[in-house]
Amino acid sequence: MLELRLVQGSLLKKVLESVKELVNDANFDCSSTGFSLQAMDSSHVALVALLLRSEGFEHYRCDRNISMGMNLNNMAKMLKCAGNDDIITIKADDGSDTVTFMFESPTQDKISDFEMKLMDIDSEHLGIPEAEYHAIVKMPSSEFARICKDLSSIGDTVVISVTKEGVKFSTKGDIGTANIVCRQNTSVDKPEEATVIEMNEPVSLTFALRYMNSFTKATPLSNTVTISLSNELPVVVEYKIAEMGYVRFYLAPKIEEDEEDTKPQV
Amino acid sequence: MGVGGNFWDLLKPYARKEGFDFLRNKRVAVDLSFWIVQPENAIKAMHVRKPHLRLTFFRTISLFCKFGALPVFIVDGSPSLLKSRARIARYFRCSGIELANLPVPEEGVSAERNRLFSSHVQECAELVELLGMPVLKAKGEAEALCAQLNSEGHVDACITADSDAFLFGAKCIIKCFCPNSKEPFECYNMSDIEAGLGLKRKHLIAISLLVGDDHDINGVRGIGLDTALHFVKAFSEDDILNRLHEIGKGNTSQIPICIKVEDNVDGNSPNRKLSHCSFCGHPGSKKDHMKFPCEYCVTKDDEGCQRKPEDFKCDCFSCDMNRKHKEKKRLENQHTIFFHKIAEEPNFPKDEIIDMYLCNDNGYFSASDSPHIVWGNPNIEMLINFLNFHQHWEPAYVRRMMFPMISTIFLRDMTTTTVETTLFGQYEFDSVERVKMRYGYQFFVVKWKRAGVNISCKVPLKESSVQQDDAIELDEMVDLLDDFDAPEIHGDDGCSFLLTDENMDLVGAAFPAEVKRFWQEQELKRIKNSTSRSQENEKSPSPNSRSIQLNITEFYPSTKVKHRQSKQGEESSKNADSQGNGGSKMKRKMSSPDKIPKSVRRRLLFD
């Protein structure tokens, strides 16, 4: 059987809010090491990977590996019934077709339990290799969210370029162009407000802003966001979850059409 | 003039504002003297040579070419004896001469209008004849003949401001004719007047007899338009004139009073009114009501009657009967006075006036013969001589001003015959230049090319154009009175062209191939414009669609095989557990037979 008890229940609420916009249905995999999720969006352009390590739970019991298929919208509705300070317990029996969420108020004077039906979801599992990245940018997550929001009002794609001067976010649309440059600043008082850039070689990639804005729904999970880039590879946007895990978003890049290809069409 | 009082105001609600094409291909009777009187009053102060001829010339061309009407000009004959007498009386009244000195015209001799006016009418009649328009002379009133032609179907409308035309039998009158507006025609239809007012032709004649008209200024003394209208509506058209005769003779007893009176009132008219309480106003005496409340005042037994309010009207049965009786008496008195006034009028109604209005023989043609109404070609040479003599216009100027009429006739004739292909022997159809909007209506601007271009012709054209400019300067002031568009002169590559505004249907019927080609060219232009716009539209989305979105699965391979391997690992671990933990297996066997429900199980696990 499975029994997980998370004292900081709001973390799970935030995780669902950040993922449900991208993914409709997903399989939650529970093993002795932790509670994890991997799912793609419907068009297979973006991938989300979630890990909550078992050490982060107050109580973690998993007798055998179990996979639970859930509709994330329904799950979010369930978790919405929990208070921000409630303790959340997840229970499931072996071979059962339901999962139970139990919410306890901090003073234990109110206890709720919700039972949700599980789904049988057949999904692909992609192998993500450990990779060396050409550039890694660590910056305040609220700043990154603001940049993506501002640029999406100008155009629908963003070019992220990393050079030794800093990281530049560019877009252009019918009304004009926009460029936002963030330089490295490590001399701030608070570490979470710093922008740190590690660059092995210059990188320039183009992405759809629509997905970037979906990723920034995870901003409440963490004060900082880490953006890892390699030329011609998907970008990784990672938000840490306290001391117990992470949620990572992978987005495939856009490539420019070759002029030779467009000439015959004209 | 016409019917006295405010007769046109009575008809005002039934006026229709008709549009530009209202008179197209319609035959219109025009009271020529009406045309001449109007401008004469307007142009008195201006020093223009013979304005009546000038205005008749340009108005006829506008009516014929721009509005597409077919005018028939009606000239006044001798006025009736009654009208002469009325006119003399009006003159004397205005001049202040005593009525005692009023001359009595001898029988059989009618006074003509003033000679100057008559000569103007004669000149205008001669002019419109030279323009090819039919001219008819009336035996008496011109509007009488206009109305007769309209009634008999020889023309479709009458242009006159004289309301007599309806009394003479007209069906459609155009009262106002303003060429410079979107709705140039103020039109009155007899059918609208019948439907709206309930008045037919003989009703109108009766009203004019009572109120007064051109032939009897005063009418019946003391009777105005409202009274006459009220009386006339009570009778049918066939009966109204007979009733007037009987009233005139004093036979009022035979005329039924058109008041619906209740029989009860007639039978039970009380001679005196019941006594009423002065306190509460209801029947009874004040003394009785002080003791006991009357049945009308619904009050408690303790209290007496209520005091009557101001403006109190008793609604008891006897008072109601009394009021109806009074009303009946009042109406009877009104009719008695009315009949008395009519009876007092000597020789009323005048049969000469009635016969004149109902006469159907106003023209010099018999009932079996139709009037001679034919629209011919204008006599250009005679016109040039006529206008040169009277207006001092140059021949070139006359030809240019005549060009719209010639082109209109040419286009009309093209649908029937192809005798001539040139205008004035000089110009021929070239092309449709463009579409022109005037007062909300579309016209073709037609290009006329000078035929047989010679080098020697260029010089005379320039000279004539200079002369034309001089002529135009002289007539500039008068141009303000009437809107008239002279043809434009357009020079191109040594050839000279004239541009006229023509009716689209007329041009389409005369030169269908040319018009079709014109519309095709317009369509091509439109397509080119839309093509360029679509090209612009195609360009704008192209920057956005430059990049191609890649798929995430292209970068990270699927690991379903690994997933299966992990499942096999699970199975092997299951076997190990089962071998090692026999005790736990026994525990499960013990719990399963109990069949504990889920909720209880959940509670136990929680504890």
Side-chain angles (χ1 to χ4, degrees), chain B residues 417-437:
Chain B
T417 62
T418 55
V419 175
E420 294 185 4
T421 57
T422 56
L423 285 67
F424 293 123
Q426 292 183 24
Y427 288 91
E428 61 187 7
F429 183 88
D430 180 77
S431 64
V432 176
E433 178 80 358
R434 65 178 186 274
V435 177
K436 186 177 184 181
M437 291 290 290

Side-chain angles (χ1 to χ4, degrees), chain B residues 254-403:
Chain B
Q254 296 180 10
I255 300 173
I257 300 172
C258 296
I259 300 170
K260 294 181 178 178
V261 180
E262 296 178 7
D263 295 336
N264 294 334
V265 178
D266 281 336
N268 303 323
S269 61
N271 289 329
R272 67 171 190 175
K273 186 179 174 183
L274 295 176
S275 62
H276 281 58
C277 173
S278 60
F279 182 75
C280 65
H282 295 117
S285 65
K286 187 173 181 180
K287 291 181 181 178
D288 295 338
H289 289 176
M290 293 297 288
K291 297 176 183 177
F292 307 102
C294 65
E295 58 187 22
Y296 296 95
C297 297
V298 183
T299 57
K300 296 178 180 178
D301 295 335
D302 299 339
E303 300 178 4
C305 291
Q306 298 175 351
R307 178 178 290 277
K308 62 179 178 181
E310 295 181 0
D311 300 331
F312 174 79
K313 280 188 178 180
C314 182
D315 56 355
C316 69
F317 184 73
S318 64
C319 286
D320 189 52
M321 302 278 278
N322 197 40
R323 274 198 291 270
K324 287 182 178 177
H325 185 69
K326 283 184 176 178
E327 182 69 16
K328 181 192 168 190
K329 282 283 186 180
R330 191 179 65 82
L331 288 175
E332 285 178 354
N333 278 342
Q334 274 191 353
H335 278 82
T336 304
I337 294 169
F338 182 80
F339 296 156
H340 190 64
K341 285 180 178 177
I342 294 177
E344 272 188 346
E345 194 72 22
N347 194 21
F348 182 87
K350 292 186 171 66
D351 289 328
E352 308 100 309
I353 300 179
I354 296 175
D355 293 340
M356 184 189 59
Y357 280 131
L358 295 175
C359 174
N360 289 328
D361 184 26
N362 296 294
Y364 293 101
F365 53 90
S366 60
S368 58
D369 295 333
S370 295
H372 184 72
I373 300 179
V374 173
W375 290 268
N377 285 333
N379 192 330
I380 303 294
E381 297 305 319
M382 292 288 287
L383 262 173
I384 289 173
N385 293 334
F386 180 91
L387 291 168
N388 181 265
F389 174 76
H390 287 282
Q391 303 292 114
H392 297 170
W393 286 354
E394 294 293 330
Y397 181 74
V398 174
R399 286 200 182 92
R400 189 177 165 207
M401 294 302 118
M402 285 295 300
F403 197 88

Side-chain angles (χ1 to χ4, degrees), chain B residues 486-522:
Chain B
E488 296 176 37
I489 298 178
H490 183 68
D492 191 13
D493 294 335
C495 299
S496 60
F497 298 91
L498 282 177
L499 300 174
T500 58
D501 305 337
E502 305 290 345
N503 176 254
M504 297 178 99
D505 297 332
L506 205 57
V507 180
F511 294 99
E514 301 289 338
V515 172
K516 188 176 180 182
R517 194 204 318 153
F518 173 77
W519 286 125
Q520 284 174 353
E521 290 175 358
Q522 296 293 308

Side-chain angles (χ1 to χ4, degrees), chain A residues 114-134:
Chain A
F114 294 76
E115 192 170 340
M116 187 176 82
K117 288 178 179 263
L118 296 174
M119 303 166 64
D120 191 23
I121 300 170
D122 184 25
S123 65
E124 290 184 62
H125 191 95
L126 303 187
I128 306 171
E130 292 294 333
E132 290 288 332
Y133 292 100
H134 293 155

Side-chain angles (χ1 to χ4, degrees), chain A residues 44 64-65 125 127 252 255 257, chain B residues 546 548 551-552 557 559 570:
Chain A
H44 290 192
R64 67 187 59 185
N65 289 2
H125 191 95
I255 59 170
E257 288 190 34
Chain B
R546 282 177 186 172
I548 300 174
N551 198 292
I552 194 77
T559 58
E570 287 182 359

Side-chain angles (χ1 to χ4, degrees), chain A residues 40 43-45 64-65 115 122-127 129 172 208 232-234 250 252-257, chain B residues 540 544-553 555-560 563 570 574 588 598 601-602 605-606:
Chain A
M40 285 187 286
S43 57
H44 290 192
V45 169
R64 67 187 59 185
N65 289 2
E115 192 170 340
D122 184 25
S123 65
E124 290 184 62
H125 191 95
L126 303 187
K172 71 178 166 184
E232 300 182 14
L233 289 182
Y250 300 79
K254 287 191 167 188
I255 59 170
E256 298 293 324
E257 288 190 34
Chain B
S540 56
N544 295 338
S545 65
R546 282 177 186 172
S547 55
I548 300 174
Q549 174 66 61
L550 301 183
N551 198 292
I552 194 77
T553 56
F555 301 93
Y556 305 131
S558 174
T559 58
K560 266 194 172 177
H563 204 64
E570 287 182 359
K574 281 183 182 179
R588 289 175 189 172
K598 272 188 178 179
R601 192 186 305 161
R602 194 181 305 124
L605 292 172
F606 170 68

Side-chain angles (χ1 to χ4, degrees), chain B residues 470-587:
Chain B
D470 294 338
I472 290 170
E473 286 175 5
L474 292 174
D475 290 334
E476 252 183 18
M477 299 176 70
V478 191
D479 281 332
L480 299 175
L481 295 174
D482 262 314
D483 174 38
F484 184 79
D485 294 325
E488 296 176 37
I489 298 178
H490 183 68
D492 191 13
D493 294 335
C495 299
S496 60
F497 298 91
L498 282 177
L499 300 174
T500 58
D501 305 337
E502 305 290 345
N503 176 254
M504 297 178 99
D505 297 332
L506 205 57
V507 180
F511 294 99
E514 301 289 338
V515 172
K516 188 176 180 182
R517 194 204 318 153
F518 173 77
W519 286 125
Q520 284 174 353
E521 290 175 358
Q522 296 293 308
E523 187 65 23
L524 286 177
K525 288 183 181 178
R526 194 183 308 162
I527 290 171
K528 285 182 180 179
N529 289 334
S530 63
T531 303
S532 62
R533 286 176 190 171
S534 65
Q535 284 176 355
E536 290 176 2
N537 290 334
E538 286 173 1
K539 287 180 181 178
S540 56
S542 60
N544 295 338
S545 65
R546 282 177 186 172
S547 55
I548 300 174
Q549 174 66 61
L550 301 183
N551 198 292
I552 194 77
T553 56
E554 297 174 20
F555 301 93
Y556 305 131
S558 174
T559 58
K560 266 194 172 177
V561 177
K562 292 182 180 179
H563 204 64
R564 290 173 187 174
Q565 289 176 359
S566 65
K567 284 184 179 179
Q568 290 176 1
E570 287 182 359
E571 290 176 0
S572 64
S573 66
K574 281 183 182 179
N575 294 332
D577 288 340
S578 64
Q579 289 174 4
N581 294 326
S584 64
K585 216 173 188 181
M586 293 177 65
K587 285 183 180 179

